[in-house]
Amino acid sequence: MFVKDFKKNFYDAIQNQRVLVLVSFDVDALCACKILQYHYTPSENYSQRMLVAMVTCVVSVSVPDATPLCGSPIHHCQKAWVSGLEDLERAFVENSEGIKHVVMINSCATVDVVEMLQPPSTPGFYISDSHRPVDIHNVFNAVQVKLLMKEEELTELPEYDEVFRDDSSDEDSGNESDSSDRSGKKRRFDEAAIDRRREKRLWNENRNKVIFDYTKFTSYGTSSSLLMFEMAWKMSKDTNDLLWLAIIGVSDQYVHFKTPRDKYMDDVMALQSHVARHNHRGDDEENLISINCLKIVFDEELTLTMYRHWSLFESICHSVGMACKFKVWTLKGQKKLNEFLAEMGMPLNQCKQKFSAMDTELKGNIKGMIQDQMNKYGLVMQDIVIPSFSAQYGYRNKLCATDAVYACCAVLEGTEKGKTPNDCFLDAVDILTRSNVAALEKGLELAKRQLKAVVTQVQTFLDMHQVISAGPFLYALIQEGTADVKFFSKVNCLIRLARFTLEAHCSVSRSKKARTLPLVLGAPLNTEQGTTLVIGIPPLELDDERKNFFGKAFEQAASSTNSRTHHDYFDSHVMEMKTDDRSKFFDALLNLLQT
């Protein structure tokens, strides 16, 4: 059931109650969790402080009593971490004792949560999840499941009567017919029974078709952090810090290609009004603002990855759009890029040093200099700028929202030896704490390593002609033993690699069909267990929709070949499989998509 009034039917309902908070392993979910926890800081009374103590720690986190996420004392804290559906079940079983309310952030909307968890009592499940489609049982469960999302986004939701029916009337009718049968009306009863069975069979066939049509594509809705911020705003509890968290959550969807550009623009426009409200200062107030005050600015941001924390040259080479336009992995492309920078009036020695060390005049004119030359080099405005936000506190360099996403995600999916998922989650929380500059800088450096690994792998794919056309789709496989392969065992990094690979392949392919083909990408996951991580992304031609059909396709291909696959991720277009079954699985997928 959809929650209409978040304050009345969610916030007020869970106050002074034991609450289990389960959070997915992504940046948007982490931001939403921090916004939610802000409401339970010990600022009102003792019972409110006790509520903070009762809020259990997030999925993928084990929070010690001395270092709570929200910065307030947390006692008797239940600990759990999960990376998929099975771990989520385990976390629920281990932490659900005495729990009356369970809040799920970016998890479980696409599955029947009551059927999956089989709760022994009747806790209330509050689901704030951007994954689509939402399972029909969650939508029509008016007792246990409350959906914290925008109902108007679910435009293709089937009607209740199309997917549920009450068969008790059939049984009652049958009992009456038995009585009639004993009265000598057996023939009429048989005909009625046949008609009922035929009608039920047709209804079931139609139900299966309706459900298949509803679930055949996966997509994403409004980010959970934005919804949590809007709840805070309606309760007059929003702050600039919470606004920045919502901005990072929306930017996370953009960075990882979850929502189309139009949807991102709508969310940015909604956030921009809040930015103007929280960051408007009069002339008299300007000198009274503390230098440590967070300031958020809305502007057209260059689509150059982390350029303020890198060199301009490196940033261009590691940004998907610009890198693919210039084909920087080739000698000809490098030469063309050098010519572009020269015609901009940008000396190469300036471009290759750290951005913060460049001449002030050059730094301030980069956007205009690029725009002056874009037509000559086949660039369009969408390749160069995108509306975004940047934050600044103190005298430090500005931090763009997308840069914060890269840094946070790199730490969240850390591969450092000795680091547990719990450690990675807590480190990512530190990055979202604006006073922890050291953690942010460490995250930015790790993000650069990831991006370098992505570009190196893309160049390997293209140089070795490893992006293969299977007819209805493209596929590429990362070989075992590849340098930095550890990065690609993580979902978000592998998604960015897949997108970069697809755009790079389309930029060099002579076939006009390339942009109409989706890509399947596989990476070694666990060599000892012989498993591969496989993801599928839609073609560039459908970029305005960002709908993915690989979830159902993967399930059907695996089922038809008895391939040993594991569909445990919250994103159905991501799965694990036994490396030995890869060949027959791809053959089945080929046959399936050709029909």
Side-chain angles (χ1 to χ4, degrees):
M1 182 182 76
F2 292 97
V3 173
K4 305 287 187 182
D5 187 337
F6 278 25
K7 181 184 184 302
K8 179 181 178 181
N9 301 120
F10 170 55
Y11 180 78
D12 292 345
I14 67 175
Q15 285 197 83
N16 304 314
Q17 303 289 334
R18 297 197 65 176
V19 181
L20 174 64
V21 183
L22 303 177
V23 184
S24 178
F25 226 55
D26 65 74
V27 177
D28 175 42
L30 181 53
C31 291
C33 176
K34 284 182 68 68
I35 294 174
L36 179 63
Q37 284 185 303
Y38 172 83
H39 299 305
Y40 301 107
T41 54
S43 58
E44 297 179 10
N45 51 45
Y46 178 76
S47 64
Q48 187 74 347
R49 290 197 293 272
M50 289 303 295
L51 180 58
V52 179
M54 298 300 184
V55 176
T56 59
C57 298
V58 296
V59 171
S60 304
V61 168
S62 175
V63 181
D65 293 344
T67 57
L69 293 182
C70 58
S72 56
I74 294 183
H75 308 288
H76 314 299
C77 198
Q78 294 166 311
K79 305 169 179 66
W81 71 270
V82 302
S83 59
L85 294 172
E86 288 185 358
D87 284 336
L88 189 140
E89 291 183 61
R90 173 188 55 77
F92 176 78
V93 171
E94 293 176 357
N95 296 280
S96 61
E97 184 177 355
I99 293 294
K100 293 185 177 181
H101 302 281
V102 181
V103 179
M104 297 176 165
I105 303 179
N106 280 359
S107 61
C108 285
T110 59
V111 297
D112 184 352
V113 63
V114 176
E115 176 67 23
M116 180 183 72
L117 297 180
Q118 295 288 317
S121 56
T122 56
F125 293 101
Y126 295 89
I127 303 177
S128 177
D129 192 353
S130 60
H131 293 90
R132 301 289 184 269
V134 179
D135 188 271
I136 56 173
H137 296 87
N138 295 334
V139 173
F140 296 112
N141 187 328
V143 178
Q144 286 180 270
V145 181
K146 315 294 183 184
L147 300 176
L148 306 174
M149 54 188 68
K150 296 182 178 181
E151 184 177 0
E152 60 269 20
E153 291 183 352
L154 277 69
T155 57
E156 300 178 359
L157 187 69
E159 297 293 332
Y160 180 88
D161 292 339
E162 292 181 306
V163 291
F164 296 105
R165 62 177 285 166
D166 184 6
D167 289 333
S168 59
S169 59
D170 292 346
E171 296 175 1
D172 294 342
S173 176
N175 292 334
E176 293 175 2
S177 297
D178 288 342
S179 177
S180 300
D181 179 33
R182 289 189 294 269
S183 303
K185 299 181 179 180
K186 181 177 180 181
R187 183 173 180 179
R188 289 180 57 190
F189 164 69
D190 290 342
E191 291 177 351
I194 292 172
D195 289 340
R196 286 195 301 272
R197 285 196 296 269
R198 182 187 299 111
E199 189 271 334
K200 185 175 182 179
R201 175 175 57 80
L202 293 175
W203 184 88
N204 284 328
E205 289 177 355
N206 182 70
R207 179 183 189 272
N208 292 335
K209 181 181 182 301
V210 168
I211 292 179
F212 179 82
D213 291 340
Y214 174 62
T215 61
K216 64 182 177 181
F217 293 112
T218 59
S219 58
Y220 297 87
T222 300
S223 79
S224 295
S225 56
L226 178 55
L227 291 176
M228 290 298 171
F229 173 79
E230 288 180 344
M231 179 183 72
W233 168 53
K234 290 176 182 178
M235 296 190 300
S236 299
K237 292 188 175 184
D238 57 318
T239 67
N240 223 21
D241 288 285
L242 299 189
L243 176 57
W244 179 239
L245 290 172
I247 289 170
I248 293 176
V250 170
S251 300
D252 175 53
Q253 291 191 321
Y254 167 74
V255 166
H256 293 104
F257 312 102
K258 293 182 177 180
T259 54
R261 186 182 177 93
D262 289 345
K263 170 60 176 170
Y264 170 76
M265 295 290 287
D266 290 342
D267 291 343
V268 165
M269 291 301 104
L271 288 166
Q272 196 275 335
S273 61
H274 295 295
V275 169
R277 179 168 53 87
H278 278 284
N279 294 270
H280 176 72
R281 296 290 186 271
D283 295 336
D284 296 336
E285 297 178 82
E286 197 67 36
N287 295 327
L288 301 177
I289 301 172
S290 169
I291 192 62
N292 293 321
C293 178
L294 175 66
K295 304 174 186 66
I296 304 176
V297 178
F298 170 75
D299 197 4
E300 286 190 332
E301 183 70 23
L302 286 171
T303 57
L304 300 180
T305 307
M306 298 189 296
Y307 71 94
R308 291 189 180 94
H309 314 278
W310 219 341
S311 70
L312 184 62
F313 187 86
E314 289 288 339
S315 178
I316 291 175
C317 291
H318 293 83
S319 301
V320 178
M322 295 283 277
C324 292
K325 285 291 183 180
F326 287 104
K327 305 178 182 62
V328 296
W329 52 85
T330 65
L331 291 176
K332 186 177 180 180
Q334 288 278 337
K335 181 180 178 182
K336 188 176 181 181
L337 175 59
N338 290 338
E339 291 176 356
F340 174 69
L341 295 172
E343 295 207 19
M344 281 174 53
M346 189 73 67
L348 200 58
N349 64 331
Q350 289 280 329
C351 296
K352 291 191 175 182
Q353 65 179 322
K354 197 166 183 179
F355 181 81
S356 58
M358 290 176 61
D359 290 345
T360 304
E361 186 177 349
L362 292 176
K363 286 194 294 184
N365 295 327
I366 286 178
K367 189 188 304 181
M369 296 163 72
I370 292 177
Q371 290 174 340
D372 289 342
Q373 300 297 326
M374 66 179 188
N375 293 332
K376 182 176 179 180
Y377 288 86
L379 300 172
V380 296
M381 190 62 70
Q382 186 172 326
D383 298 325
I384 300 173
V385 295
I386 188 158
S388 186
F389 303 89
S390 59
Q392 187 170 9
Y393 34 90
Y395 293 103
R396 295 274 179 174
N397 289 335
K398 286 184 179 180
L399 176 67
C400 181
T402 54
D403 296 349
V405 172
Y406 280 113
C408 190
C409 189
V411 172
L412 198 60
E413 296 188 334
T415 58
E416 185 179 345
K417 288 185 178 180
K419 286 274 189 181
T420 65
N422 298 2
D423 298 329
C424 293
F425 207 106
L426 289 175
D427 290 344
V429 170
D430 289 339
I431 288 179
L432 296 178
T433 305
R434 60 184 170 96
S435 60
N436 199 333
V437 178
L440 173 62
E441 292 178 346
K442 183 179 179 181
L444 290 169
E445 291 302 316
L446 181 56
K448 292 177 190 177
R449 287 180 54 197
Q450 280 192 353
L451 288 167
K452 288 178 180 178
V454 167
V455 171
T456 299
Q457 185 59 52
V458 169
Q459 184 168 359
T460 300
F461 281 150
L462 298 179
D463 290 345
M464 304 298 292
H465 303 287
Q466 292 177 342
V467 180
I468 310 299
S469 175
F473 64 92
L474 303 168
Y475 72 91
L477 302 172
I478 301 174
Q479 302 301 315
E480 292 185 7
T482 300
D484 292 324
V485 71
K486 59 185 179 182
F487 290 127
F488 307 127
S489 63
K490 308 296 183 179
V491 172
N492 287 318
C493 189
L494 191 61
I495 286 174
R496 293 202 298 272
L497 172 62
R499 176 69 182 212
F500 208 135
T501 300
L502 183 57
E503 288 205 28
H505 172 77
C506 291
S507 70
V508 299
S509 176
R510 296 179 179 179
S511 173
K512 295 181 179 180
K513 188 182 177 182
R515 293 185 64 85
T516 67
L517 298 178
L519 174 69
V520 179
L521 182 61
L525 182 62
N526 189 315
T527 54
E528 294 181 358
Q529 298 179 5
T531 56
T532 298
L533 182 64
V534 180
I535 69 167
I537 64 171
L540 298 182
E541 189 180 59
L542 301 179
D543 214 32
D544 292 338
E545 299 180 1
R546 297 275 168 89
K547 290 186 176 182
N548 197 319
F549 58 83
F550 276 111
K552 285 291 185 183
F554 283 170
E555 291 178 6
Q556 293 181 16
S559 176
S560 64
T561 57
N562 293 321
S563 297
R564 292 164 292 177
T565 59
H566 194 41
H567 305 265
D568 190 49
Y569 293 89
F570 298 127
D571 295 299
S572 62
H573 56 271
V574 183
M575 71 170 192
E576 300 174 20
M577 69 179 303
K578 284 290 186 179
T579 306
D580 293 342
D581 294 340
R582 200 166 57 192
S583 179
K584 65 179 182 180
F585 172 82
F586 274 92
D587 288 341
L589 187 63
L590 171 62
N591 293 330
L592 178 66
L593 296 182
Q594 277 182 334
T595 58

